[in-house]
Amino acid sequence: MYKFSYAEVLDDASDERRGREVMALEHGIELLQKAKAGDPSAPTTIEAIRFIQQLWGFLIRDLSDDTNGLAEQLRADLISIGLWVIREADRVLSGASTNIAGLIEVNRSIRDGLK
């Protein structure tokens, strides 16, 4: 029988969680890339924007939780980035911006930081 320390179990859970976050960001980036190549009012653009907004909404809720193990300043910085992503995505949906490339770049940077 295997015996693991509590810290090892937590590290494994953290690694799994980070892996899921990377996968979700990769999916969002793929959707945004398809949207960038197409019509800004196409269903693929709306799907990409909605997905990335929901993802960041989830991440912000997690980062706002006091039990989140990240340093407080890092959490605050990531929340600020997430709020920018959500606002910029709203601007794309409303036609006030076409900055899908910026959304892709920011999400890639966050994804790469998680790897």
Side-chain angles (χ1 to χ4, degrees), residues 4-5 8 20 54 71 113:
F4 299 102
S5 73
E8 288 174 320
R20 287 191 305 269
Q54 289 175 349

Side-chain angles (χ1 to χ4, degrees), residues 15-33:
D15 289 345
E16 264 183 50
R17 185 170 163 178
R18 183 168 284 135
R20 287 191 305 269
E21 290 167 350
V22 167
M23 287 176 23
L25 284 164
E26 286 175 347
H27 180 66
I29 292 165
E30 288 173 16
L31 291 173
L32 288 169
Q33 288 171 326

